[in-house]
Amino acid sequence: MKTMMATALRAALAATTILGTAAALVAPASAQTTTAAIRGQVRDAAGATVAGATVVAVNDGTNQTFRATTSATGSYVLNGLRPATYTITFTGPDGKISAQRISVGVGQSATLDAVLAAPTAAAPAAGATAEGGTTTGGTNEGGEIVVTAGKLVETKTSEVATNVSQAQIRILPQGDRNFLTFAALAPGVRYNDSETNKGITAGASPASQVNVFIDGTSLKSQTLGGIAGQTDSRGNPFGQLAVGEFRVLTQNYKAEYEQAGSAIITAITKSGTNDFHGEMFGQYTDRSLTAANIIDQRAGREKPKFERKQYGISLGGPIIKDKLFFFGAYEGNDQDRASSVTVGNPTPQNLARFGQYEGTYVSPYRGDFYFGKLTFTPDERQVFDLSFSRRQETDISGFGANFGSANIAYSAAVNKINKTDTYTYKWTYTGDSFVNEFNATYLDTVYNPSSLNPDDPSFQYEGVITFGGKDSTQRISQQSYTLRDDLTYNGLDNHVIKGGIRFAFQDYDFTKNFYVQPNYFFQNDAKRGLDFSFPATAQLGVGNPRIIASNSQLGVYLQDDWDITSKLQLNLGLRWDYESNLFNNKYRTPAAAVATLNALPKTDYFDPANYITDGTDRPTRKDMFQPRVGFSYDFNDDQRTVLFGGYGKYYDRNVFNNTLDEQFRLQYQTGVFYFSRDGQPRDGNPTAVWNESYQTREGLLALRQTAQTGLPELFAVKNNAKAPSTDQFSLGLRQKFGIFRASVTGSYVRGQNGYTHLFATRNADGSCCDTSIPRANGFGNVLIGYDGLRTRYKALLVTIDKDYTVSSGWGFNLAYTLSKAEQDGGDLFSLDKVTPDQYGWRPIADQDERHRIVLSGIVDLPVGFQFSTLTTLGSGTAFQLLDQSAGTSINQQTIRSLYRPKNCLGSVFAFCEVNLTLQNNIKVFDTHNINVAVDLLNAFNNKNYTGYSGNLGVGETYSFGGPTNLPTGLLTLPRRFQFRVGYRF
């Protein structure tokens, strides 16, 4: 791999050098749009366009300067603007001047028009949609009008996107400083805030189809899916103290974006400026500030220990004024949460034998985040950025009531060790009519859940207790090397043409030590001759637990933002992606697997020949073409009423872990041993008479040589499987009402080619399973990969916004989603029916919710106080039910979805979370600020239940509540207070 990497990197570097120096090539302004663009028209007082006017934008923080000249139609484009505050000066050929001070956000493509020689006491120039604008004066020397404006607002775009500002990140209430919390401000996006799953989903797509970019570096996990480092983590993907702002794109994102079937988040980090700026903070909450958990109360448990401390510091400033700047940040996250362990079925006998494992134990989490950045601007045409981040964490969990089961002892806990490093180098060059940006990034992420007691066997007494060591330790790493070159060309009037090329290489390293020490499973079942005096089964892993793989990717795109008229803009783009190892392409099917597959009957969903490969039968995908088309139409050419819409095709990637078992199960086998008192077969499986010598790994290895034991399952990947993709359609209207902006968007997203597993051994009537053929060849069963999962999403997305500004003293944002998210099939395994389509369309568990409202607000109060809220109301998400009320056969049982019952605001909603913050800002030394805040989280202590029964037995009817179907968990923590203190300068 290293030789291949060196060769590939040399080729890629050569290619990007050629691209970077070829001014004739058109490529986009920035990778994942970490910068912004402003375009508009300059007119005179009579309304005529002004050709030859100069436009100069100066970054207030660094004095970096951008220049443009208006065309014959008076239009101009400024590309490659870093998110910041700028003073933009328009100067006509006759010397008349108009100036505006505005702020641009990450990824924006905003419009700013100007009028030269405007009348005295003019308002902001026509078409300039900047919030919080104030006129500093009338006409001054040279006919200059200076308008001090706030945030520049993007209206003429086909993208469905939401920008989250630094003010919102800093002021709005949140529990754990995860900046992804605020992704929920975008309609159609959900933030999952559980103890082990802090991430986002959008539409009907799984979390694995989201992509997050930090300064253009993708945090996508190619091995496990979703955001790197977030698997089973209660930590945060990136330090909030280092995040400047971010943008959530939910639909119609342009051709420059890759590897996402649903939402994309693109964030930019803070940078140093000509002034020194720093910040320190600390926040704290604990058990005494938290209400009792209703689940603990029902179980008779005391309120468990809980303490969370978060703290951090940052500093940025100049090294050489106007030339070289630095920024650094550190955040710490210390959490202690107690979890109670109890014995299930607490009979005197069980308590006497297992009572020693009961108790309340602390689950410690420790997280650290480091970030450093240098920015060099040798001249007004060039910017160099070099940055590094490290996130590392340890989390001892997986035991007791707070982590899935009160019957798992502390000894069986897991220490979830995560580490994610990013390195980013960026060079931006601004020419007279183009901006070129070269990026080189490196991502190194390790997921390492480890047993606390790796040398101890695991003992599981059904329904009573599990103790001993955790049954597995894993280490999964991904190293990603990415080179890309992007350039924007605006030398053609009314066109901004974009294109680019991206090379990426990944090294994957999986080590999965399952059942290195045996797992013993005990059952009390007199009818089957079983009791707790000996184990019913034991599992033992034997073989090579390590798999190493590599992958390479290539992406190319071209796009044109074409202003057909001053009212109508078309966005025309095409992207093409290639991947060398999408489905373990070089795998060779072993002879025993070939014989097994060939002996199985062919069906309408299974052709044995399509699952057998000699290493050349899985073609690399060269057909991933993705057209993306959008439009916006400004009815009155004043950015007040804009119609927009579009269509796009978006390919994601298969998660490598999904297809790993094809190889892993053959080189690392988990043997299943069946034990009895008399050695007679049980449930069709041969058994061995239990002997105490089998209570060690060595004893089972000896038994493995002489007794028939469990057989490994054969997994097979489909040779011509396709990558998952979505087709997205949207049509919407933006309208400005005075100080408010509103939008209504109709959305439809169709997903296809999701990956799942099916049985290839079903009987003719569809029941499971005839395993005679695989058993004759040394396998327990055969599961085949199938790229047939489908999703569909229909939604109406509504927003009403008034951005917070210091001058107005308040801000308001409302996001309402009316939606229906459906799927067929299961998740990674669809084994309850023959094929996914036989499941039928049903609401997606934990994602489909008919109504959802997210409301945020900020208001300044007297004496430096400030109040804010982030409130979420939902009609309740669906959960899946296996309905066997009519019978247990495959043709009798159905898989359907139910919705959680409504229990808040007069049974109008099923999910209610009201978070409030009151803070006081105390100014010292003129420019310094001390901030003291109190957060009241889940203010009304709403019980947002989860964990309802997902099974319905023969002849039963489903009902909520009662002793047999009480919810077992909460989606949100109980009401709690949190104290924060900060110092900024």
Side-chain angles (χ1 to χ4, degrees):
M1 174 59 192
K2 298 302 180 185
T3 303
M4 186 277 281
M5 272 295 307
T7 304
L9 281 170
R10 282 195 294 269
L13 282 168
T16 50
T17 301
I18 294 169
L19 290 171
T21 56
L25 174 70
V26 253
S30 94
Q32 278 66 58
T33 313
T34 56
T35 57
I38 299 176
R39 58 203 302 175
Q41 275 192 324
V42 178
R43 300 176 182 269
D44 61 21
T49 57
V50 179
T54 60
V55 184
V56 179
V58 180
N59 186 315
D60 288 1
T62 64
N63 286 329
Q64 185 185 10
T65 302
F66 298 83
R67 305 176 189 275
T69 302
T70 60
S71 66
T73 61
S75 61
Y76 74 94
V77 177
L78 291 169
N79 284 310
L81 300 174
R82 299 163 73 92
T85 300
Y86 290 85
T87 298
I88 301 183
T89 304
F90 304 88
T91 305
D94 58 0
K96 293 179 180 178
I97 297 175
S98 177
Q100 298 193 50
R101 189 168 181 265
I102 55 89
S103 295
V104 293
V106 58
Q108 285 189 322
S109 179
T111 301
L112 182 65
D113 297 334
V115 176
L116 300 179
T120 303
T129 56
E131 296 297 324
T134 59
T135 303
T136 61
T139 308
N140 62 13
E141 299 163 29
E144 180 180 359
I145 301 277
V146 179
V147 177
T148 302
K151 180 180 176 182
L152 197 62
V153 177
E154 180 183 41
T155 56
K156 296 171 70 171
T157 177
S158 61
E159 291 183 329
V160 181
T162 300
N163 276 64
V164 179
S165 67
Q166 174 61 206
Q168 290 171 301
I169 294 172
R170 192 177 65 250
I171 298 172
L172 291 177
Q174 62 174 159
D176 59 359
R177 292 187 59 83
N178 189 334
F179 79 95
L180 292 180
T181 301
F182 304 117
L185 296 173
V189 177
R190 302 178 59 87
Y191 172 65
N192 304 313
D193 186 16
S194 77
E195 285 301 295
T196 58
N197 181 25
K198 292 185 182 295
I200 62 171
T201 57
S205 299
S208 62
Q209 293 194 20
V210 170
N211 207 343
V212 174
F213 297 91
I214 306 289
D215 287 339
T217 299
S218 171
L219 296 186
K220 190 167 186 97
S221 172
Q222 309 277 348
T223 53
L224 298 171
I227 304 167
Q230 287 305 103
T231 301
D232 294 334
S233 172
R234 51 175 149 161
N236 302 330
F238 202 83
Q240 185 168 290
L241 197 58
V243 175
E245 58 183 89
F246 66 96
R247 179 176 174 89
V248 185
L249 298 106
T250 50
Q251 265 190 268
N252 270 28
Y253 39 91
K254 297 178 182 178
E256 59 203 282
Y257 295 99
E258 81 277 348
Q259 293 191 20
S262 62
I264 279 180
I265 290 181
T266 177
I268 52 101
T269 57
K270 297 175 182 175
S271 301
T273 66
N274 278 323
D275 296 316
F276 284 98
H277 291 285
E279 184 173 354
M280 294 182 291
F281 80 90
Q283 65 182 46
Y284 181 83
T285 186
D286 65 17
R287 174 173 61 181
S288 66
L289 302 171
T290 305
N293 185 317
I294 186 65
I295 306 299
D296 287 334
Q297 289 179 324
R298 287 175 181 169
R301 296 187 291 261
E302 293 184 0
K303 189 162 58 172
K305 176 179 171 138
F306 166 59
E307 183 181 52
R308 181 171 63 210
K309 297 177 287 187
Q310 292 179 266
Y311 44 89
I313 186 170
S314 69
L315 180 65
I319 298 175
I320 303 173
K321 186 178 180 181
D322 292 344
K323 298 293 183 183
L324 184 61
F325 312 93
F326 77 94
F327 179 82
Y330 165 79
E331 284 198 41
N333 187 347
D334 299 344
Q335 301 180 38
D336 288 326
R337 297 176 186 268
S339 190
S340 299
V341 178
T342 57
V343 171
N345 189 22
T347 64
Q349 295 88 345
N350 286 338
L351 288 174
R353 186 174 180 184
F354 305 116
Q356 61 183 307
Y357 299 107
E358 288 196 322
T360 299
Y361 303 86
V362 171
S363 164
Y365 169 90
R366 299 293 181 265
D368 296 285
F369 171 80
Y370 307 87
F371 178 76
K373 183 178 183 179
L374 290 174
T375 302
F376 179 47
T377 57
D379 52 54
E380 66 180 39
R381 290 188 178 272
Q382 298 185 89
V383 180
F384 296 86
D385 289 296
L386 182 65
S387 66
F388 164 77
S389 74
R390 165 165 289 182
R391 171 199 170 193
Q392 58 189 31
E393 63 185 28
T394 61
D395 183 6
I396 298 176
S397 60
F399 65 92
N402 285 349
F403 299 102
S405 173
N407 308 140
I408 299 178
Y410 180 80
S411 65
V414 61
N415 185 7
K416 292 181 261 190
I417 304 169
N418 279 322
K419 180 184 74 71
T420 301
D421 291 346
T422 67
Y423 299 79
T424 302
Y425 166 76
K426 182 188 299 183
W427 171 45
T428 305
Y429 183 87
T430 303
D432 292 335
S433 57
F434 69 93
V435 177
N436 188 83
E437 186 173 62
F438 171 75
N439 283 262
T441 64
Y442 171 66
L443 171 71
D444 181 11
T445 181
V446 177
Y447 171 65
N448 185 202
S450 304
S451 172
L452 280 188
N453 299 287
D455 297 328
D456 294 345
S458 174
F459 300 91
Q460 182 178 356
Y461 290 80
E462 185 181 35
V464 178
I465 194 72
T466 296
F467 64 91
K470 172 70 175 173
D471 55 21
S472 67
T473 291
Q474 302 181 64
R475 188 183 188 280
I476 299 173
S477 71
Q478 170 188 327
Q479 294 178 311
S480 298
Y481 314 79
T482 304
L483 299 168
R484 77 179 279 159
D485 193 79
D486 305 88
L487 189 145
T488 300
Y489 177 73
N490 56 274
L492 185 61
D493 200 14
N494 298 321
H495 292 265
V496 176
I497 303 174
K498 304 181 179 182
I501 189 166
R502 171 184 177 272
F503 300 92
F505 313 93
Q506 287 96 29
D507 290 326
Y508 309 140
D509 193 336
F510 290 76
T511 300
K512 296 190 171 190
N513 285 304
F514 294 141
Y515 307 113
V516 173
Q517 293 300 326
N519 172 269
Y520 297 96
F521 181 69
F522 296 78
Q523 288 181 298
N524 256 328
D525 189 343
K527 292 182 179 180
R528 299 167 64 219
L530 298 172
D531 58 41
F532 282 178
S533 65
F534 67 93
T537 62
Q539 292 175 284
L540 183 71
V542 179
N544 178 8
R546 189 179 185 191
I547 288 179
I548 299 174
S550 61
N551 186 29
S552 58
Q553 299 170 343
L554 171 65
V556 180
Y557 68 93
L558 185 66
Q559 181 173 297
D560 182 14
D561 293 342
W562 177 17
D563 288 324
I564 296 179
T565 69
S566 60
K567 297 182 178 182
L568 178 63
Q569 182 184 97
L570 291 184
N571 311 115
L572 309 173
L574 179 65
R575 180 176 190 88
W576 175 75
D577 284 299
Y578 162 88
E579 190 153 349
S580 68
N581 193 12
L582 194 61
F583 289 97
N584 202 11
N585 289 48
K586 299 300 182 182
Y587 175 76
R588 295 171 179 266
T589 310
V594 171
T596 303
L597 292 168
N598 277 329
L600 292 173
K602 183 177 179 180
T603 66
D604 57 353
Y605 61 90
F606 170 62
D607 181 355
N610 202 16
Y611 288 85
I612 297 171
T613 174
D614 62 3
T616 63
D617 294 290
R618 293 179 185 168
T620 55
R621 304 301 312 195
K622 301 182 181 70
D623 58 352
M624 291 190 286
F625 290 93
Q626 301 152 76
R628 301 177 187 180
V629 180
F631 79 93
S632 65
Y633 182 77
D634 186 351
F635 284 94
N636 301 308
D637 200 13
D638 60 1
Q639 301 177 61
R640 299 186 66 84
T641 306
V642 178
L643 181 71
F644 64 94
Y647 159 77
K649 178 83 172 181
Y650 303 88
Y651 277 102
D652 204 336
R653 292 297 181 274
N654 178 59
V655 177
F656 197 80
N657 194 52
N658 289 355
T659 56
L660 194 70
D661 280 332
E662 179 182 49
Q663 180 177 345
F664 183 76
R665 296 291 184 107
L666 298 183
Q667 69 179 51
Y668 189 87
Q669 299 180 11
T670 299
V672 181
F673 302 80
Y674 298 88
F675 297 109
S676 66
R677 285 195 181 90
D678 53 15
Q680 296 300 307
R682 183 177 69 247
D683 302 330
N685 296 303
T687 68
V689 176
W690 172 250
N691 186 296
E692 292 298 323
S693 65
Y694 300 148
Q695 202 163 315
T696 65
R697 177 178 175 85
E698 291 71 22
L700 288 181
L701 287 174
L703 176 65
R704 185 171 180 262
Q705 304 301 317
T706 59
Q708 183 177 355
T709 60
L711 301 174
E713 292 174 314
L714 172 62
F715 281 72
V717 173
K718 189 178 178 182
N719 289 338
N720 63 347
K722 296 180 179 180
S725 66
T726 57
D727 291 279
Q728 304 182 8
F729 305 82
S730 66
L731 181 66
L733 183 71
R734 297 187 183 97
Q735 179 67 53
K736 187 172 183 182
F737 301 95
I739 61 174
F740 292 96
R741 305 185 315 276
S743 70
V744 178
T745 307
S747 168
Y748 176 71
V749 181
R750 184 179 65 238
Q752 50 272 324
N753 301 123
Y755 194 82
T756 190
H757 290 95
L758 312 176
F759 284 124
T761 54
R762 288 195 179 272
N763 297 305
D765 63 356
S767 61
C768 183
C769 286
D770 180 1
T771 60
S772 57
I773 292 174
R775 284 184 176 277
N777 289 279
F779 301 104
N781 207 335
V782 178
L783 287 91
I784 56 171
Y786 188 74
D787 57 342
L789 290 183
R790 298 176 298 170
T791 61
R792 61 188 184 192
Y793 179 70
K794 306 168 189 175
L796 184 69
L797 313 175
V798 179
T799 63
I800 301 175
D801 299 293
K802 190 277 173 189
D803 294 326
Y804 170 82
T805 62
V806 174
S807 58
S808 69
W810 67 285
F812 171 87
N813 304 93
L814 172 70
Y816 167 68
T817 306
L818 170 66
S819 65
K820 189 174 185 180
E822 298 176 293
Q823 69 176 130
D824 64 2
D827 43 31
L828 187 56
F829 293 90
S830 298
L831 306 179
D832 295 314
K833 293 288 184 180
V834 176
T835 58
D837 58 290
Q838 293 186 14
Y839 280 68
W841 290 104
R842 70 188 189 286
I844 301 177
D846 299 320
Q847 280 186 243
D848 182 58
E849 185 175 42
R850 199 64 68 242
H851 304 276
R852 191 170 186 85
I853 299 170
V854 179
L855 170 68
S856 68
I858 302 170
V859 60
D860 293 339
L861 301 174
V863 202
F865 281 94
Q866 195 172 52
F867 173 80
S868 62
T869 182
L870 180 59
T871 296
T872 304
L873 307 173
S875 60
T877 55
F879 65 94
Q880 185 168 290
L881 178 71
L882 176 60
D883 185 349
Q884 295 181 322
S885 58
T888 59
S889 75
I890 193 169
N891 296 317
Q892 292 173 317
Q893 67 183 20
T894 61
I895 297 90
R896 58 190 180 97
S897 297
L898 297 177
Y899 292 90
R900 294 173 173 85
K902 297 176 173 60
N903 64 349
C904 65
L905 287 182
S907 298
V908 175
F909 295 101
F911 182 95
C912 296
E913 185 178 27
V914 179
N915 297 329
L916 308 172
T917 294
L918 181 65
Q919 58 184 317
N920 186 252
N921 297 296
I922 306 167
K923 280 197 173 183
V924 293
F925 310 121
D926 293 331
T927 59
H928 294 220
N929 183 287
I930 297 175
N931 175 272
V932 180
V934 178
D935 300 318
L936 180 55
L937 306 171
N938 194 7
F940 298 101
N941 202 24
N942 294 112
K943 279 71 174 177
N944 298 308
Y945 290 118
T946 188
Y948 291 99
S949 173
N951 294 282
L952 186 62
V954 176
E956 296 178 347
T957 57
Y958 198 91
S959 62
F960 290 99
T964 60
N965 192 19
L966 289 174
T968 59
L970 295 172
L971 294 170
T972 53
L973 292 173
R975 177 176 52 227
R976 62 203 183 280
F977 287 92
Q978 178 174 265
F979 295 100
R980 292 187 282 127
V981 62
Y983 180 80
R984 290 190 298 117
F985 66 91

